Amino acid sequence: MLNLPDFDDHEAVTWVSDRKSGLRAVIAQHSTVLGPAAGGCRLWSYGSPEAGVVDALRLSRGMSYKNAMAGLPLGGGKAVIFGPVPADQREAVFEAFGAAVERLAGRYVTAEDVGVSVSDMQIVARQTRAVSGLPRASGSVGGDPSPYTARGVLRGIEVAMRQADGRTDLEGVRVAVQGLGSVGGALCGLLAERGAKLLVADPHPDRVAAVCEATGAKAVPLDAILFQDVDVLAPCALGGILTAEVIGALNATVIAGAANNQLADRAASAALAASDLIYVPDYVINAGGIIVVAAEYLGGQTEADVLDRVDAIGPRVADLLARAAREAVPVDALADQLAAGLIEAAR
Ligand code: NAI
């Protein structure tokens, strides 16, 4: 592990095996400097144990940066469970995972991520209190983070368009949304309310049909959505979609979407830096979800407090874009530098 390029002096990486349930998992705590290492649990069928470890290392560092930039008193962590998990073992697997989280004594706080649902987290919660993303109790904040993520992405798009051409509204702005899941679907609703013209794609025809009917969006083939002639490209599906080649072929002005780890590699960062594109770093614009998850876990906040914090993503993105332009530095590198600086200053 020490030789993996994604190892970044992570504080602890725990391998979890439970023979009885069949659970195999990795829990990576990148940093607890700002608070408990918080980040979701992903269930995925990795090609090899190493691929899962690499994902946990990369994603946990991303959570440290995301939480730091969002001003949350949380460090960064992430868990991966190695799939597939047979349906009749699922409950036992998440019970065992909850017990493993509990053994970390509050230094890692889990929640849902790809492949994991609220009901899985309810099973985890039988074993540990270091869990968030549970159903919202009446009168408290929390629940499904996706609408909050979508709202934060909207705020980022608004300020990026202001920077791009001085616009103060989104009337008639053309946006291509890749992925119409929990976040992409909600984002389309928010954009349509503001008069944006939407182009959308998703492998699920029912999701495409529902969004087109609700928002007047036009459906585009999956392999064409990234390359539309639009003001904004909003990736809300998978990570790693922006390769140098893709970046060279884009017809957008702004890239601003929810997907984690949009830039495939260093070559993609370099291609971005050499282009005229305005890129809003993914972990800055998509922090709405962790903001509400943190409020649920830490307590003491109202819904209005949470919405204020999510809306603050707008000015944060504006500052970041303005500073990157002023200093003529790549915005993704600047965000990494600022996030790492916040953690170091707290250390
Ligand atoms: P989701 O699983 O609900 O939706 C993803 C959608 O993308 C699905 O509808 C899927 O069919 C579609 N999709 C998959 N491959 C595609 C392709 N090639 N082209 C077009 N669409 C494709 O996931 P969710 O929760 O909406 O998250 C979307 C992205 O945002 C993910 O990358 C996630 O990591 C990230 N994110 C989500 C947050 C949340 O609050 N849910 C918070 C922060 C980041």
Side-chain angles (χ1 to χ4, degrees):
M1 189 185 66
L2 298 176
N3 293 327
L4 295 172
D6 289 291
F7 181 71
D8 178 46
D9 284 328
H10 287 63
E11 285 178 16
V13 182
T14 308
W15 176 267
V16 183
S17 292
D18 179 66
R19 198 167 289 168
K20 200 161 154 225
S21 64
L23 169 70
R24 290 190 319 145
V26 171
I27 302 175
Q29 294 158 247
H30 175 255
S31 168
T32 57
V33 170
L34 294 172
C41 166
R42 176 168 291 193
L43 194 166
W44 195 254
S45 296
Y46 292 97
S48 66
E50 180 174 315
V53 173
V54 165
D55 213 21
L57 291 176
R58 207 168 37 88
L59 290 165
S60 59
R61 188 178 84 145
M63 288 308 301
S64 289
Y65 284 9
K66 184 188 296 200
N67 294 338
M69 288 297 271
L72 297 170
L74 295 172
K78 202 86 182 185
V80 304
I81 293 180
F82 290 84
V85 171
D88 61 352
Q89 284 294 100
R90 195 164 179 111
E91 184 171 355
V93 160
F94 278 95
E95 283 257 6
F97 175 70
V101 171
E102 179 62 14
R103 285 195 293 276
L104 297 176
R107 288 192 298 279
Y108 167 66
V109 180
T110 196
E112 317 64 352
D113 192 61
V114 176
V116 176
S117 68
V118 174
S119 56
D120 297 322
M121 284 301 123
Q122 287 177 289
I123 297 169
V124 170
R126 292 182 204 153
Q127 299 291 331
T128 182
R129 291 180 60 194
V131 52
S132 193
L134 298 169
R136 184 174 176 159
S138 67
S140 66
V141 298
D144 178 9
S146 309
Y148 299 86
T149 305
R151 182 174 170 127
V153 172
L154 174 76
R155 296 293 174 240
I157 289 175
E158 285 170 343
V159 299
M161 281 310 297
R162 203 174 309 145
Q163 155 130 353
D165 68 0
R167 299 189 62 111
T168 52
D169 64 44
L170 297 180
E171 186 68 46
V173 166
R174 295 158 302 154
V175 187
V177 182
Q178 183 193 41
L180 302 176
S182 318
V183 180
L187 177 65
C188 286
L190 296 173
L191 289 167
E193 280 169 20
R194 284 153 184 82
K197 297 271 165 275
L198 303 176
L199 299 172
V200 297
D202 193 290
H204 291 275
D206 51 330
R207 292 185 190 170
V208 175
V211 168
C212 288
E213 194 181 324
T215 66
K218 184 168 166 266
V220 169
L222 287 175
D223 58 2
I225 188 71
L226 294 176
F227 309 106
Q228 298 298 307
D229 181 9
V230 287
D231 299 298
V232 182
L233 170 64
C236 296
L238 314 168
I241 46 145
L242 299 176
T243 60
E245 198 185 350
V246 165
I247 288 168
L250 294 180
N251 290 304
T253 307
V254 166
I255 306 172
N260 278 313
N261 298 320
Q262 291 170 30
L263 295 171
D265 48 28
R266 278 169 199 233
S269 293
L272 200 57
S275 76
D276 292 332
L277 291 156
I278 297 177
Y279 169 68
V280 182
D282 42 24
Y283 62 79
V284 180
I285 197 173
N286 73 13
I290 191 70
I291 288 171
V292 71
V293 162
E296 176 186 333
Y297 184 69
L298 299 167
Q301 287 182 54
T302 64
E303 177 74 9
D305 296 332
V306 172
L307 294 180
D308 281 351
R309 277 181 172 264
V310 174
D311 289 343
I313 289 172
R316 190 172 301 125
V317 168
D319 287 350
L320 190 63
L321 294 177
R323 184 164 165 188
R326 203 169 54 240
E327 297 177 8
V329 292
V331 70
D332 54 319
L334 177 63
D336 285 358
Q337 182 197 321
L338 292 174
L342 288 168
I343 297 167
E344 277 315 305
R347 198 192 296 280

